[in-house]
């Protein structure tokens, strides 16, 4: 970032970065316009009219924070701490924010902190880490000979993977794409499975049927490092390619071809992407894909799916869960409905879809206040009409963001947040199930390059100052982000100053948990010895499980999960229809005959952000309904003509985009638009009982010409 006279003049790619290699996304290229956008929030405001009326009064930061603190304390006294809910989304402040919102919530005494994790990344991590493998296993694209890209389009959403795949294809790797849409990757793939949305679990089990029956699995690994393979052999009898073809619409021969290619091309890896998190049967698909990685011997081998221990395991825990009263933990919204919300303490985990019902129906108890940070649930959460109704019903709503959003328009207090260029943060690159293209266990500093504009403040500073206002000053002693980051990184022995000297980031070369487990002078000696003797060159060493086994109760890959069985869930992945499909809801099919895929992201936007930036907005100013030419002809719909899209929840209108990249039985909408918001159509009530995932990409709808 080039700065002249305290003003950003240019934003360029950093060629030393091992993942992006100097390439910028479309959004990056317009970062200066985002920073200096004329419609940024510039000072705190309080509502003086009706909710959504748009009447505001400018107030000071002191008045804003004093008002919030007073109202929160009043609600805590009157209704209990659990009546206060914190909701956050895409961090403006980097990894630091994920610790400090729970910190304040735990000090207040509320277990209710939530985010979009139930439909973004955490279902995959939760299943891998908690039940199947005891670790996160991103794909090693650098060295693979075969990649399955499952449910994602990194050309629009992930620049590092786009670069890595491009380089791998130049080497001649085989590319298999599993996606209901014919994306650019599907067009160039060696094999493409254009499956019915929400049937990924059935397809994965069909592939396992082929691999097991044809004895294409890694016998040595299966015998030594897995539990329950014998039960899997019997279980997959029900998932022959012919049966799976009827479920998925993928021809049996194509299923066999994909299974054989993946099992016999060594090494091979799978990149399980975000779409897998967005079905009501997500846990089945994720577990079956994890088992595919294991039985083919592609776990933690060069070019396979690598075992990565997240850096977060080594960081100083800032969440203060010990301050949350034990009785409060059991009150977490969604803990009675969703296993992820019940078990997870690693990430904020109240179940967001269940929060709206708690507000509207006061069940299991009332939620009367909400603090929303870096999130826009009116546009980004399922069932917009219910979300908006719930937010309007709240006694007190605070929203902090960079711009005025539809969610902020309903708030009582709006606070101006700053961009990442105006604050110091740190980021890690190893905790994602679909990351790890060029470097693992990397930590980097994103330093402040200009002072916060106008009266905006960093998300971290807002949380800390609110905590002090509420009387928790001793737990927020840091004066700057740098001090707080130094405290968080203390077990690693790394400081902001040291990170600043490594703009490309620093590799953690010993398993992160050992930093926390063995601290001090002797810990450094022990870690050095372990690196040489046992862990050699972590994370680049392979088959790390040979040292101590997998981090599961059995120390093996748990194909058959006794943990899940004891908790009352299927110990083996069992395919069940999406909650709203032509098979599960024949009563709806006559009225809503088409399958709706909702929520794909566009390259020029981040979630619901950046549509106020003219250069980005011009690239796609309105949502589009992708519809097959055959379907369009039946409905007499013309390209660019307006259509009405309806579901049992509501309807929107938008232009039609006639394309052969969608099956005639499906239609597709993009995500994050205010005027024709796809989430008006989506459902929040049905979700996966283990991961809490809602069915954003497997719903029913009808389309009519306007």
């Amino acid at each position: 970032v080039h700065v002249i006279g305290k003003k950003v003049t240019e934003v360029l790619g950093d060629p030393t970065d091992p993942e992006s290699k100097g390439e910028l996304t479309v959004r990056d290229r317009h970062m200066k316009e985002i920073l200096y956008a004329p419609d940024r929030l510039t000072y705190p405001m309080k509502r003086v009219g009706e909710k959504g009326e748009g009447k505001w009064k400018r107030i000071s930061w002191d008045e804003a924070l004093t008002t919030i603190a007073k109202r929160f304390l009043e609600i805590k006294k009157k209704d209990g701490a659990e009546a206060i809910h914190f909701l956050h989304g895409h961090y403006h402040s980097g990894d630091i924010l994920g610790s400090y919102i729970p910190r304040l919530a735990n000090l207040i005494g509320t277990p209710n902190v939530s985010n979009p994790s139930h439909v973004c990344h955490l279902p995959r991590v939760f299943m891998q880490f908690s039940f199947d493998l005891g670790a996160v296993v991103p794909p090693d694209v650098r060295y693979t000979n075969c990649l399955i890209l499952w449910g994602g389009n990194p050309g629009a959403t992930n620049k590092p993977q786009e670069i890595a795949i491009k380089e791998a294809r130049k080497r001649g790797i085989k590319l298999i794409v599993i996606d209901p849409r014919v994306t650019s990757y599907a067009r160039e793939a060696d094999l493409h499975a254009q499956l019915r949305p929400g049937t990924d679990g059935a397809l994965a089990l069909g592939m396992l049927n082929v691999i097991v029956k044809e004895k294409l699995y890694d016998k040595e690994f299966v015998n030594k490092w897995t539990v329950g393979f014998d039960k899997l052999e019997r279980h997959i009898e029900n998932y022959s390619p012919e049966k799976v073809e009827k479920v998925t619409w993928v021809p049996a021969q194509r299923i066999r071809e994909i299974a054989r290619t993946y099992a016999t091309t060594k090494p091979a890896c799978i990149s399980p992407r975000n779409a897998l998190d967005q079905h009501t049967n997500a846990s089945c698909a994720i577990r079956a894909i994890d088992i595919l990685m294991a039985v083919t011997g592609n776990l933690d081998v060069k070019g396979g799916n690598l075992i990565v221990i997240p850096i977060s395991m080594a960081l100083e825990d800032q969440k203060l869960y010990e301050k949350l009263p034990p009785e409060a933990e059991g009150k977490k919204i969604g803990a009675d409905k969703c296993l992820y919300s019940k078990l997870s303490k690693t990430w904020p985990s109240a179940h967001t879809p269940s929060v709206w019902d708690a507000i509207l129906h006061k069940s299991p108890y009332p939620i009367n206040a909400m603090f929303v940070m870096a999130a826009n649930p009116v546009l980004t959460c399922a069932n917009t009409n219910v979300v908006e109704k719930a937010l309007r019903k709240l006694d007190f709503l605070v929203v902090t963001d960079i711009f005025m959003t539809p969610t902020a328009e309903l708030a009582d207090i709006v606070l101006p947040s700053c961009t990442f260029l105006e604050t110091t943060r740190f980021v890690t690159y190893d905790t994602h199930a679909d990351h790890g293209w060029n470097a693992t266990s990397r930590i980097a500093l994103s330093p402040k390059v200009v002072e916060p504009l106008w009266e905006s403040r960093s998300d971290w500073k807002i949380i800390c100052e609110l905590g002090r206002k509420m009387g928790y000053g001793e737990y927020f002693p840091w004066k700057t982000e740098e001090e707080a980051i130094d405290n968080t990184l203390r077990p690693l022995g790394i400081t902001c100053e040291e990170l600043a000297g490594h703009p490309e980031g620093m590799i953690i070369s010993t398993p992160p948990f050992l930093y926390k487990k063995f601290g001090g002078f002797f810990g450094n000696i022990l870690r050095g010895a372990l690196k040489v003797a046992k862990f050699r060159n972590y994370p680049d060493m392979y088959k790390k499980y040979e040292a101590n086994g997998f981090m599961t109760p059995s120390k093996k890959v748990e194909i058959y999960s006794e943990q899940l069985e004891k908790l009352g869930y299927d110990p083996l992945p069992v395919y069940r229809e999406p909650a709203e499909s032509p098979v599960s809801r024949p009563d709806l099919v006559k009225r809503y005959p088409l399958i709706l895929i909702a929520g794909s992201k566009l390259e020029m936007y981040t979630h619901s952000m950046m549509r106020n930036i003219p250069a980005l907005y011009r690239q796609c100013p309105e949502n589009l309904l992708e519809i097959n030419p055959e379907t369009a002809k039946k409905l007499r719909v013309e390209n660019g003509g307006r259509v009405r899209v309806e579901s049992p929840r509501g309807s929107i209108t938008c232009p039609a985009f006639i394309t052969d990249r969608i099956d005639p039985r499906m239609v597709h909408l993009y995500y994050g638009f205010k005027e024709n918001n796809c989430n008006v159509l989506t459902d929040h009530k049905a979700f996966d009982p283990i991961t809490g995932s809602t069915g954003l990409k497997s719903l029913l709808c009808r389309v009519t010409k306007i």
Side-chain angles (χ1 to χ4, degrees):
V1 179
H2 291 249
V3 179
I4 298 176
K6 299 183 180 179
K7 188 175 177 69
V8 172
T9 59
E10 194 173 20
V11 178
L12 301 171
D14 179 0
T16 69
D17 184 89
E19 297 200 13
S20 69
K21 300 182 179 180
E23 289 194 34
L24 293 178
T25 66
V26 174
R27 302 179 294 276
D28 295 331
R29 293 197 289 272
H30 294 278
M31 191 59 225
K32 194 173 73 166
E33 294 164 61
I34 296 167
L35 175 66
Y36 294 116
D39 55 342
R40 273 189 60 176
L41 292 170
T42 56
Y43 46 77
M45 300 184 293
K46 72 175 180 181
R47 178 172 58 82
V48 292
E50 296 298 316
K51 284 196 175 187
E53 194 178 357
K55 293 183 179 179
W56 304 96
K57 178 184 176 183
R58 180 176 182 171
I59 57 177
S60 67
W61 271 102
D62 185 67
E63 181 182 348
L65 294 170
T66 299
T67 302
I68 298 166
K70 182 181 177 184
R71 291 296 303 275
F72 278 4
L73 291 170
E74 287 173 351
I75 289 168
K76 177 180 177 179
K77 184 177 180 180
K78 178 175 173 283
D79 305 309
E82 64 274 11
I84 303 168
H85 187 92
F86 288 84
L87 186 148
H88 70 85
H90 187 90
Y91 301 154
H92 300 145
S93 297
D95 291 3
I96 195 170
L97 185 61
S99 295
Y100 284 87
I101 288 180
R103 185 182 188 89
L104 178 56
N106 289 329
L107 287 166
I108 292 171
T110 176
N112 292 320
V113 180
S114 71
N115 54 36
S117 60
H118 62 289
V119 288
C120 184
H121 161 66
L122 260 299
R124 286 163 287 159
V125 170
F126 181 58
M127 301 311 296
Q128 288 181 354
F129 210 95
S130 301
F131 300 108
D132 300 342
L133 313 171
V136 185
V137 288
D140 189 14
V141 180
R142 290 173 298 178
Y143 302 117
T144 197
N145 287 324
C146 175
L147 168 67
I148 297 183
L149 184 60
W150 202 314
N153 186 15
T157 61
N158 192 309
K159 176 62 71 174
Q161 189 174 21
E162 179 190 12
I163 294 167
I165 292 174
K166 197 180 294 182
E167 291 178 349
R169 287 292 277 172
K170 285 178 183 175
R171 288 194 290 105
I173 73 158
K174 292 177 180 176
L175 176 63
I176 300 170
V177 172
I178 298 174
D179 200 305
R181 297 169 67 219
V182 185
T183 63
S184 58
Y185 291 99
R187 289 193 193 280
E188 72 160 276
D190 298 283
L191 293 166
H192 174 212
Q194 192 173 5
L195 75 172
R196 174 164 67 92
T199 62
D200 305 82
L203 179 60
L205 288 163
M207 290 169 62
L208 282 167
N209 175 285
V210 175
I211 290 167
V212 171
K213 279 188 166 300
E214 297 185 6
K215 302 194 182 303
L216 302 176
Y217 58 91
D218 186 320
K219 298 174 184 62
E220 183 181 353
F221 182 88
V222 164
N223 292 336
K224 190 174 181 181
W225 292 109
T226 69
V227 172
F229 183 76
D230 56 332
K231 295 182 175 69
L232 177 71
E233 283 186 285
R234 295 191 294 272
H235 180 64
I236 50 93
E237 290 287 342
N238 298 316
Y239 296 95
S240 69
E242 285 69 27
K243 286 184 180 178
V244 170
E245 176 180 348
K246 292 176 182 176
V247 174
T248 63
W249 302 347
V250 178
Q253 187 53 36
R254 177 55 55 94
I255 295 170
R256 288 191 172 90
E257 205 174 351
I258 290 172
R260 290 165 182 162
T261 302
Y262 172 66
T264 59
T265 307
K266 300 292 184 180
C269 63
I270 301 176
S271 176
R273 301 289 297 170
N274 189 199
L276 290 166
D277 305 330
Q278 299 182 0
H279 299 289
T280 57
N281 54 12
S283 56
C284 164
I286 295 162
R287 289 212 68 218
I289 290 169
D290 292 347
I291 293 169
L292 276 169
M293 298 174 190
V295 300
T296 54
N298 280 308
L299 278 179
D300 214 32
V301 296
K302 188 174 183 178
N305 284 82
L306 302 180
I307 290 174
V308 174
I309 300 170
I311 291 176
S312 57
M313 291 186 70
L315 303 181
E316 191 71 35
D317 188 4
Q318 305 295 343
K319 297 185 181 76
L320 294 180
Y321 272 116
E322 66 274 14
K323 296 294 181 182
L324 185 67
E327 63 274 13
E329 181 65 27
K331 294 180 179 179
K332 186 189 298 179
I333 295 293
D336 58 334
K337 301 175 182 177
C338 161
L339 186 62
Y340 166 61
S341 293
K342 182 178 181 179
L343 295 185
S344 178
K345 278 192 174 182
T346 310
W347 300 276
S349 55
H351 187 233
T352 303
S354 299
V355 170
W356 315 125
D357 290 333
I359 296 169
L360 291 171
H361 308 300
K362 299 186 177 182
S363 175
Y365 52 80
I367 298 287
N368 293 327
M370 185 177 286
F371 189 102
V372 177
M373 176 168 273
N376 188 11
V378 168
L379 295 189
T380 61
C381 287
N383 207 337
T384 290
N385 293 329
V386 166
V387 174
E388 185 171 341
K389 188 177 177 183
L391 292 175
R392 286 182 180 276
K393 190 176 179 181
L394 286 168
D395 291 342
F396 188 59
L397 173 62
V398 180
V399 175
T400 173
D401 215 312
I402 299 172
F403 299 100
M404 181 62 74
T405 66
T407 302
E409 288 168 359
L410 303 176
D412 298 283
I413 300 282
V414 174
L415 304 175
S417 184
C418 63
T419 69
F420 74 90
L421 294 176
E422 301 159 271
T423 184
T424 296
R425 60 180 189 155
F426 76 93
V427 289
T428 59
Y429 291 86
D430 66 348
T431 55
H432 292 71
D434 50 11
H435 282 195
W437 320 122
N438 299 289
T440 55
S441 295
R442 185 163 63 103
I443 184 167
L445 191 72
S446 173
K448 177 168 64 177
V449 296
V450 290
E451 291 299 319
L453 299 177
W454 302 288
E455 293 183 27
S456 66
R457 293 184 180 179
S458 71
D459 295 334
W460 174 84
K461 188 173 184 179
I462 293 168
I463 289 293
C464 290
E465 291 188 354
L466 178 57
R468 295 182 194 114
K469 281 284 186 184
M470 294 190 71
Y472 308 122
E474 64 183 295
Y475 300 104
F476 296 96
W478 310 282
K479 294 179 181 177
T480 65
E481 283 92 338
E482 288 82 359
E483 284 184 22
I485 292 170
D486 283 349
N487 180 61
T488 300
L489 301 183
R490 188 173 50 82
L492 289 170
I494 297 173
T495 64
C496 273
E497 186 178 1
E498 190 175 1
L499 275 179
H502 295 273
E504 77 288 354
M506 296 177 69
I507 302 294
I508 304 304
S509 58
T510 309
F513 67 88
L514 294 180
Y515 286 91
K516 203 164 186 179
K517 192 172 182 180
F518 305 114
F521 175 75
F522 292 106
N524 288 333
I525 296 174
L526 184 56
R527 283 196 299 272
L530 284 168
K531 179 181 174 183
V532 172
K534 199 171 195 178
F535 292 102
R536 302 192 299 280
N537 190 27
Y538 175 91
D540 289 330
M541 72 171 277
Y542 303 104
K543 297 187 178 182
K544 294 182 280 294
Y545 53 82
E546 290 181 347
N548 280 318
F550 289 86
M551 290 168 57
T552 61
S554 65
K555 300 293 183 184
K556 298 180 179 182
V557 173
E558 305 208 333
I559 293 173
Y560 186 96
S561 174
E562 290 188 2
Q563 289 185 88
L564 284 171
E565 188 175 38
K566 287 174 184 175
L567 290 164
Y569 300 92
D570 297 317
L572 288 164
V574 175
Y575 172 74
R576 292 183 175 84
E577 276 291 313
E580 190 173 295
S581 80
V583 178
S584 62
R585 293 300 306 272
D587 55 316
L588 286 179
V589 170
K590 285 186 180 179
R591 184 171 172 80
Y592 303 103
L594 294 168
I595 297 173
L596 171 65
I597 306 168
S600 294
K601 304 178 192 77
L602 287 157
E603 187 179 1
M604 66 288 304
Y605 302 128
T606 299
H607 303 295
S608 67
M609 298 169 68
M610 303 175 188
R611 284 163 179 82
N612 60 316
I613 307 303
L616 295 173
Y617 177 76
R618 283 193 293 270
Q619 295 182 44
C620 189
E622 195 171 11
N623 208 343
L624 299 168
L625 180 79
E626 289 185 351
I627 185 168
N628 185 275
E630 180 185 322
T631 313
K633 186 177 180 181
K634 285 180 183 176
L635 299 174
R636 298 180 180 178
V637 170
E638 296 176 356
N639 197 41
R642 296 197 75 81
V643 294
R644 178 173 287 106
V645 190
E646 298 175 78
S647 82
R649 271 73 53 189
S651 69
I652 64 170
T653 66
C654 64
F657 175 48
I658 298 175
T659 173
D660 63 356
R661 65 187 181 200
I662 194 83
D663 185 282
R665 295 162 287 187
M666 312 171 198
V667 291
H668 167 266
L669 284 166
Y670 291 100
Y671 156 74
F673 289 89
K674 179 181 178 180
E675 288 74 20
N676 25 43
N677 176 14
C678 69
N679 277 318
V680 168
L681 309 171
T682 56
D683 182 34
H684 78 294
K685 285 187 175 296
F687 47 82
D688 188 296
I690 296 177
T691 62
S693 308
T694 48
L696 305 179
K697 287 182 164 53
S698 42
L699 297 161
L700 294 175
C701 76
R702 69 175 173 180
V703 175
T704 52
K705 178 182 176 179
I706 296 178

